[in-house]
Amino acid sequence: MANDKTDREYMEADTWRHRLGKLRVGIIDRYIIRKFIGTYLFTILLLVIIVAIFHAVENMKDFIERNASISDILLVYYPNFIPFFINQFSGLITFIAVIFFTSKMAYNTEIVAILSGGVSFRRLMWPYFLSAAMIAFMSLSLNLFILPMTNKVRIEFEQQYLKKGLRGNYEELIYRQISPNTFICIKGYNNLSKSAEFMALETYDGGRIVSSLVARSPRFNNETKRWTATHYLKRENIDGVEILTKNRNLDTMINLSANELGKVNNYIQTLNIVQLHKFIDEQRAKGSDMVSAFEVDLYNRYAYPISTFILTLIGVSLSSRKVRGGMGGHIGIGIALCFAYILAMQFANEFAKGGVLPPFVSVWMPNVIFAAIAAYLYTKAPK
């Protein structure tokens, strides 16, 4: 019995060694990884150069009129704009790279030779998924930690030098919810002086205003986190009787910091994943109706890198078969599927923001649907 057990354990260990041996990176794996990563980097470099040139030409008038220095443009703005661009189009670039070099391998009968040599199609996917993992890890790192830092510099530069940032990061009339029944309206906020023209604080009960506070020239203190004003007017409704009082020297703590007054989309782009989680918790505690929009951004930071694996599987499954007419058909079908995926993600995001579907379901639904498409195409790929 002891010998039988020993033999069984040895056979199981040998089986695992055999399986792990199959996953070692061999000559063919290194060849595919070089092709994948090389084509990906070349495509990114080509697109970055083209986009940067067109972007610079398009905004040259703004740069000149607003006296942007060459060093700020070349050493500050574009080094922080390029990571944003790369992450925006990483999935599409990955897909194009896979379609391009795999179609070329199929056209040159390299795929047939590899499969004829005893390598299964599933084993052939191993170097593709290793390459996809590298790209997904880069995209995840960008989304969670790096892009918030570069976005802050990029947005500040655009607000200072580009026409699209002319209005700045602050709307003329800002309306925020600071607790489940309390809302604040601020007009003409200036971030340099930390002051505004007007502030109104309203508390509701069942759709009826029970109290309000109106102050002129309110100012925010960054150190104390308090709002102050020289004069303010307070209105209260007590047992159906409206009481109006005029007061001086407002000094109050309001559940709203100056950072939250900026355009929300710009602000959340500058938050890393830890800060974003904290911000969403704060907004949920306030009863904000924009929590769904914030959660969409949160889940997208994880879902988008995962799409790298799905698009890679679709790309390989489509382009690994040698067809008459070369790679043109592969690229056309592949790009159509990729744009359909991007369109599905945009629709899903809007459904979540509109409250049609929960944010988690909406964000991950395109991945689930196209993962099913990828699985189907994989079953039809040449074996």
Side-chain angles (χ1 to χ4, degrees):
M1 289 295 292
N3 289 336
D4 290 343
K5 184 177 181 180
T6 303
D7 290 343
R8 186 166 60 253
E9 289 175 350
Y10 176 80
M11 291 176 63
E12 288 176 355
D14 190 57
T15 301
W16 278 108
R17 280 195 296 269
H18 179 68
R19 290 176 180 175
L20 291 174
K22 286 186 175 183
L23 296 181
R24 290 176 182 171
V25 179
I27 297 175
I28 294 175
D29 300 321
R30 289 194 292 271
Y31 174 74
I32 292 175
I33 291 171
R34 280 199 308 270
K35 287 277 190 180
F36 194 152
I37 301 299
T39 307
Y40 175 82
L41 294 177
F42 175 78
T43 307
I44 281 182
L45 180 62
L46 188 64
L47 286 178
V48 162
I49 292 173
I50 293 172
V51 169
I53 291 173
F54 275 94
H55 188 273
V57 170
E58 181 185 0
N59 295 286
M60 187 59 67
K61 184 179 178 181
D62 290 346
F63 292 152
I64 295 172
E65 288 180 353
R66 293 170 175 271
N67 300 317
S69 66
I70 298 296
S71 60
D72 282 346
I73 295 171
L74 297 181
L75 302 180
V76 177
Y77 180 57
Y78 281 106
N80 289 284
F81 171 80
I82 288 171
F84 171 76
F85 170 80
I86 290 174
N87 193 62
Q88 285 285 97
F89 295 95
S90 179
L92 178 61
I93 294 169
T94 301
F95 198 68
I96 291 173
V98 171
I99 290 281
F100 183 80
F101 87 84
T102 306
S103 295
K104 193 172 182 180
M105 287 177 63
Y107 184 74
N108 294 332
T109 326
E110 293 177 76
I111 299 291
V112 174
I114 292 172
L115 296 177
S116 300
V119 177
S120 67
F121 190 78
R122 181 166 58 179
R123 178 59 180 81
L124 179 65
M125 290 299 304
W126 174 238
Y128 281 96
F129 272 78
L130 281 179
S131 304
M134 298 178 199
I135 296 171
F137 179 76
M138 179 201 71
S139 180
L140 189 64
S141 302
L142 284 171
N143 276 331
L144 301 187
F145 299 105
I146 299 173
L147 276 181
M149 294 186 293
T150 60
N151 281 340
K152 186 175 182 180
V153 178
R154 175 182 62 83
I155 290 170
E156 288 176 354
F157 184 95
E158 290 175 351
Q159 289 168 0
Q160 184 174 357
Y161 295 110
L162 298 187
K163 188 176 294 184
K164 65 181 180 180
L166 183 62
R167 295 179 63 188
N169 192 38
Y170 298 90
E171 301 286 356
E172 179 64 21
L173 195 64
I174 301 167
Y175 199 66
R176 296 285 187 271
Q177 184 172 1
I178 61 174
S179 71
N181 297 309
T182 305
F183 298 82
I184 190 169
C185 177
I186 297 177
K187 181 182 179 182
Y189 179 77
N190 187 313
N191 192 45
L192 295 177
S193 62
K194 302 295 182 185
S195 63
E197 299 174 11
F198 169 87
M199 178 177 74
L201 187 67
E202 299 176 339
T203 301
Y204 290 80
D205 182 14
R208 181 174 59 92
I209 297 179
V210 293
S211 68
S212 65
L213 182 150
V214 177
R216 294 215 172 258
S217 302
R219 184 181 296 272
F220 180 75
N221 189 315
N222 263 331
E223 295 180 359
T224 62
K225 306 300 180 184
R226 301 177 74 87
W227 289 86
T228 61
T230 55
H231 297 83
Y232 68 99
L233 183 68
K234 189 173 183 181
R235 178 182 282 110
E236 293 180 287
N237 192 320
I238 302 175
D239 297 329
V241 178
E242 189 174 271
I243 301 174
L244 184 66
T245 56
K246 294 181 179 181
N247 301 282
R248 297 173 60 89
N249 300 324
L250 173 69
D251 185 4
T252 183
M253 178 79 75
I254 298 174
N255 192 17
L256 182 75
S257 68
N259 291 333
E260 297 178 56
L261 297 178
K263 293 178 181 176
V264 177
N265 187 49
N266 285 350
Y267 179 60
I268 61 175
Q269 287 185 58
T270 64
L271 301 178
N272 64 40
I273 193 63
V274 177
Q275 295 167 334
L276 183 57
H277 272 289
K278 183 179 178 181
F279 177 72
I280 290 174
D281 290 340
E282 291 173 351
Q283 295 302 307
R284 187 179 288 110
K286 293 177 181 180
S288 173
D289 57 358
M290 296 184 68
V291 171
S292 294
F294 304 146
E295 288 181 334
V296 167
D297 184 273
L298 172 67
Y299 297 136
N300 271 328
R301 295 192 186 190
Y302 294 101
Y304 191 68
I306 297 300
S307 68
T308 304
F309 295 100
I310 298 170
L311 294 174
T312 296
L313 182 57
I314 292 176
V316 179
S317 301
L318 277 176
S319 57
S320 57
R321 187 186 301 276
K322 183 176 180 179
V323 295
R324 187 176 301 175
M327 65 181 73
H330 289 156
I331 293 176
I333 296 172
I335 290 178
L337 273 174
C338 191
F339 276 107
Y341 174 75
I342 294 172
L343 189 63
M345 287 189 68
Q346 293 300 320
F347 274 114
N349 288 348
E350 293 305 317
F351 286 153
K353 292 175 183 178
V356 178
L357 291 172
F360 183 85
V361 174
S362 295
V363 170
W364 284 98
M365 186 169 58
N367 276 356
V368 173
I369 293 172
F370 277 82
I373 294 173
Y376 172 77
L377 293 173
Y378 173 79
T379 61
K380 299 296 182 181
K383 301 299 190 291

